[in-house]
Structure formats: structure tokens, C-alpha cells
Amino acid sequence: MISRLFRRIILAASLLLLAGGAEASTLEQVQKRGFLICGASNGLPGFSRQDEAGRWSGFDVDFCRALAAAIFDDPEKMQFVTLASKDRVKALQSGMVDLLARGAAWTLSRDAGQGLSYAAITFFDGQGFLARKKSVASLRDLGGLAVCVQQGTPFELDLVDFRRDDAKPIEPKLFPTFEEAAKAYADGKCEALTADLSMLAAQRQELATPADHAILPELIDKEPLGPIVRQSDDQWFDIVRWTHFALVDAEELGVTSANVDEQLKSADPRVRRLLGVDGGRVEGLGLEADWAYRIIKHVGDYGEVFERNLGAGSPIGLERRLNALWTKGGLMYAPPVR
């Protein structure tokens, strides 16, 4: 069911679109409206969660805040709307939301077959396993053991295919929903639970004693996640993509929310370009020269966003793994601002 707030947002967006003409770009619509409408999946700890006061926080929420900061110099000028999986694509295609901060993983059919474009990979996810430390330390220990999995999902197919020919294949235990599979694991009905790394990390925190459980180091499938936009608006695609790139470049260059004002005096030409001291304004983006400075000042760099919401110091306690910078053994890599 669409919330009353979301109905008001839809009405406002529709009126602005009619007033501005059908040819108005997404950036123009957002600027006329005065705030960004960011769609995402239902709340997931570490990625998007609403507190009792109604304020949203999380990794996906911070990306939307960064985008709002780039446009308005105010990270709070955005509305975060959760959508059921069946509604996300329609909401984006119809203009009800300006982007999806989180949707299904990037695949050919989703990228090329629905009129949508994945702007960037903000989180390298993948199918992994949550298991009890006392009995399972790696994938090789799962042979012959029962693993809880949601039925009718890619997780089930990948689990069945994985080590199919082993002398002791994994025994899948199927459940209609992930919640039921997770409960069965918590109740000791299987030795491991399989799903995306992000889902497992959130689920671990729901267990009675999270420290007794570990996410195994290996992954058996890749699930690249990131913001999704409508096709045919290249400017908006670039703004969303370079918002992510600015976060990554800032971390690589050591520019943080704490030192960004001091870094305005940096002699490093890469830092000066990133912060808009020398250049920085690209006419194609339609943003002010200090757009990246605004992002870092209000939200931080990629590392800050990750650690605040998902990292070792957060309740989720997730390692960077593939989401570490390319200079530190990960896959996070961004073109330079120049």
C-alpha cells in the first residue's frame, strides 16, 4: 500500500511535470520540486532503516543524501520512499521517484530490457553463507550439511549447482520466504543460511548471540548493486554516477568530512579539481563547481559512509572485502575528476 506521504509526493511530482513540460530533465524537475525523491527496497538494517522519529539512515540513504547535497547543498532535501519489489520499476519508469538507490542486482535483462540504467556499483554484494563458528569455518566444511535457503530464488539455484558433484553435496532446506529460512537457521534446523552478503550481515544482528555466528569468507555468486535511473536522460545518469565516483575519489585522496575545508588549500591538483578550487564545473552536469565539496562536507567519503553504516564499528560489523579501494585489494575504483 502506498503511504499518504508518498501519494502527496506523486501528486506534487505530476503537477510539476505538467507545469514544466514533458521535456523537462530530471534535474530540472528535482530543482523545481525542491527535493529529491529516492526509492529503495523495504528497510534493511545498515542500508535503510527508519527510527521511531521517522528519520531514515543507512548506506543507501546516505547515497541519496549525497546526491541531494550535490544538487542543493543540503542533504536533507530528499524524501526516502520504500517500495515493494513489484512496484520499484513502475515507480521509476513513471517518474514517481527520481532514482532507485537500491534495487535488484545488475544483470543484462534488468539493464537492457526495462528501460533502466545502472549508474554505478556502490556495493559489491554476492551470495554467501552465515554459519555457526563452532562447526563451520569455510565452504569446505559445508559438505553433507543442511543449508537453509529461500525457495524459488537464484540463491536456491546457485546452492544446488554449487558442489553438485561432490561426494557430500550440500543439503538444501527450502522455505517460502527469507524470513522463514532465517528463523529456521536461528532455531538450529540447519547449519548455515545462504543469501546475499548484505542480507546475512543484517540477519546476524537479529540473532540472540551474533558473536557466535560468522559470514564465511567465500562467495559463490556476484550481486553488483547500485543506483538505477531511467534511460534517455544522460545528464541525470552522469550526476548520479559521478556522485558515487566523487565519494570513492575522495577516499582515495584522503579527503574526509573532517578535513575537507582544510583540503581546499591543498597543493595537490587532483584534490583541487575534486573540490572545485581549480575547475570542477562541468556544463553537462548542470551543477555548481563545488558539487563534490558539498557531498564530502555533508556526507563524507565512501569509506566514511561504509564504516558508519556497515563497517566494523557499526552494529552490522561487515568487512570491506570487495568494497575496499582498488589500492587496498578491493574493487572500488573511480575515474578521476578532470
Side-chain angles (χ1 to χ4, degrees):
M1 179 180 295
I2 298 177
S3 68
R4 186 176 301 173
L5 173 62
F6 192 33
R7 289 184 187 277
R8 292 201 298 267
I9 292 172
I10 293 171
L11 178 59
S14 300
L15 292 174
L16 285 169
L17 181 59
L18 290 173
E23 298 302 317
S25 69
T26 304
L27 177 61
E28 290 171 335
Q29 293 174 41
V30 170
Q31 290 172 328
K32 285 183 178 180
R33 186 191 308 129
F35 59 91
L36 176 74
I37 305 175
C38 193
S41 60
N42 292 326
L44 181 66
F47 289 88
S48 57
R49 173 161 278 189
Q50 192 175 29
D51 62 22
E52 294 180 356
R55 179 176 173 80
W56 286 95
S57 63
F59 182 87
D60 296 333
V61 180
D62 272 354
F63 181 83
C64 294
R65 294 179 68 245
L67 185 56
I71 299 168
F72 298 110
D73 197 17
D74 185 348
E76 303 309 315
K77 286 190 174 182
M78 70 101 182
Q79 296 284 354
F80 194 80
V81 180
T82 58
L83 299 164
S85 57
K86 63 182 180 63
D87 298 327
R88 290 174 209 150
V89 172
K90 291 180 181 179
L92 182 57
Q93 289 173 332
S94 67
M96 293 178 180
V97 297
D98 301 311
L99 76 155
L100 297 176
R102 181 184 179 88
W106 191 348
T107 65
L108 173 61
S109 60
R110 291 167 183 153
D111 194 15
Q114 298 179 323
L116 308 177
S117 293
Y118 286 75
I121 300 175
T122 55
F123 187 82
F124 289 94
D125 210 343
Q127 185 173 347
F129 297 85
L130 178 66
R132 293 171 179 80
K133 291 181 179 179
K134 65 180 181 180
S135 57
V136 178
S138 68
L139 286 184
R140 64 177 177 271
D141 299 326
L142 289 177
L145 300 181
V147 175
C148 290
V149 61
Q150 182 181 354
Q151 189 173 18
T153 62
F155 304 136
E156 178 192 354
L157 298 177
D158 289 335
L159 181 63
V160 172
D161 288 341
F162 179 66
R163 296 179 61 169
R164 178 194 296 271
D165 299 327
D166 282 11
K168 292 183 177 181
I170 290 173
E171 177 191 347
K173 281 201 171 184
L174 308 180
F175 297 87
T177 67
F178 174 73
E179 289 73 19
E180 290 175 87
K183 185 178 186 305
Y185 170 74
D187 293 341
K189 296 179 180 179
C190 47
E191 295 301 320
L193 173 69
T194 186
D196 280 342
L197 190 65
S198 54
M199 298 170 66
L200 297 177
Q203 184 57 42
R204 179 172 58 180
Q205 296 310 116
E206 303 297 322
L207 297 171
T209 53
D212 292 342
H213 306 261
I215 296 174
L216 302 187
E218 305 93 341
L219 299 176
I220 63 172
D221 193 19
K222 52 189 177 183
E223 296 282 330
L225 299 171
I228 308 170
V229 298
R230 292 180 293 276
Q231 289 181 356
S232 75
D233 190 338
D234 292 343
Q235 180 193 49
W236 186 243
F237 175 89
D238 286 339
I239 290 171
V240 174
R241 176 168 61 176
W242 278 93
T243 293
H244 170 63
F245 287 162
L247 290 166
V248 176
D249 277 331
E251 183 183 9
E252 184 176 340
L253 293 171
V255 183
T256 69
S257 59
N259 69 20
V260 66
D261 287 325
E262 183 65 26
Q263 291 281 10
L264 290 170
K265 306 171 187 176
S266 173
D268 188 331
R270 299 171 300 171
V271 173
R272 295 176 67 83
R273 286 193 297 265
L274 174 67
L275 300 182
V277 178
D278 294 336
R281 180 174 177 83
V282 179
E283 294 302 325
L285 287 183
L287 301 177
E288 297 299 325
D290 66 345
W291 62 274
Y293 166 85
R294 297 175 174 187
I295 291 172
I296 303 161
K297 178 67 175 178
H298 291 297
V299 181
D301 62 25
Y302 182 86
E304 289 179 88
V305 172
F306 189 99
E307 291 304 320
R308 177 166 61 241
N309 297 296
L310 304 172
S314 75
I316 301 299
L318 194 63
E319 298 175 1
R320 288 283 294 267
R321 297 193 180 194
L322 298 178
N323 295 292
L325 292 177
W326 67 285
T327 54
K328 297 182 179 179
L331 297 179
M332 273 299 156
Y333 183 100
V337 176
R338 66 166 179 250

